[in-house]
Amino acid sequence: MGITISGRLILASASPRRIELLKLMGLDFDIMPGNIDETFRPGETAQAHVLRLSEEKALSAALRHPDAWVLGADTIVVVSGEILGKPRSPAEATEMLEKLSDRTHEVFTGFCIIRQDRGVRIREVVGSAVIFREITPDEMAWYTGTGEPYDKAGAYAVQGMGSCFIREICGSCTNVMGLPLCEVVDALKRVKAIHFEK
């Protein structure tokens, strides 16, 4: 029983959340993060941005390993049209949490699967809506003091202590974590990269 991979699988990301999610599926894979420029291009939408970055990450490993399945992904948080990156200080984290408090925001993850020697390239974007309850100043001070917000887009972790602020998620929960497992597994099955064994 388990999942068989038809060849080598490479995750072109060092994200602990993405690593955790793939391990949850019982997949065997190598980690090769791509060193790419993540600057926004003029006029680029959030969806176009995560799609481009996921493809660039995957391509960076796929060009070096053309006979492997390579998965790249990128996640972004958007509230009222404003893109929230990863906070670098308690002040920045507090500012982001204030913007998310008692509001709905969107999380977009772009993912790309490439296998160069077979000419396979799948690119998809998955969106989820996340509704936060009101976060009080003392809760913000507590949370920013935990250290959890600082490597997370939008300054919170859905799978961590930040989950106590989430009233509702409309769409994929794993997408909010950084990798929409349902869609990724569907895509890997579609190109016969993985097979489920009884």
Side-chain angles (χ1 to χ4, degrees), residues 11-165:
L11 174 64
S13 170
S15 161
R17 271 73 55 194
R18 294 185 188 119
I19 293 166
E20 182 185 340
L21 285 167
L22 287 182
K23 283 184 176 177
L24 185 70
M25 292 299 300
L27 291 169
D28 186 26
F29 58 97
D30 296 318
I31 301 161
M32 294 183 189
N35 186 20
I36 62 163
D37 179 9
E38 299 194 11
T39 308
F40 263 83
R41 291 179 177 171
E44 193 172 47
T45 65
Q47 293 97 319
H49 180 72
V50 293
L51 202 56
R52 176 175 62 84
L53 292 190
S54 67
E55 185 171 23
E56 287 180 5
K57 288 176 183 180
L59 203 53
S60 69
L63 291 173
R64 287 177 283 139
H65 304 279
D67 60 344
W69 298 102
V70 182
L71 170 63
D74 193 76
T75 303
I76 211 160
V77 173
V78 183
V79 59
S80 297
E82 181 183 355
I83 292 152
L84 303 184
K86 297 174 183 177
R88 293 163 294 187
S89 68
E92 280 190 8
T94 300
E95 186 181 346
M96 289 184 188
L97 292 170
E98 285 172 346
K99 289 174 180 174
L100 298 175
S101 178
D102 202 26
R103 295 174 79 180
T104 300
H105 64 273
E106 295 175 292
V107 179
F108 296 104
T109 298
F111 72 87
C112 181
I113 297 165
I114 297 177
R115 176 138 177 189
Q116 283 287 94
D117 66 351
R118 295 191 185 175
V120 173
R121 189 172 304 198
I122 295 174
R123 302 160 73 242
E124 291 183 24
V125 178
V126 178
S128 302
V130 183
I131 304 170
F132 265 32
R133 65 171 173 82
E134 184 178 356
I135 309 171
T136 60
D138 61 320
E139 290 173 326
M140 287 186 198
W142 160 75
Y143 189 57
T144 56
T146 66
E148 186 174 89
Y150 302 107
D151 66 337
K152 319 288 190 304
Y156 75 94
V158 63
Q159 76 283 10
M161 292 174 276
S163 61
C164 71
F165 305 134

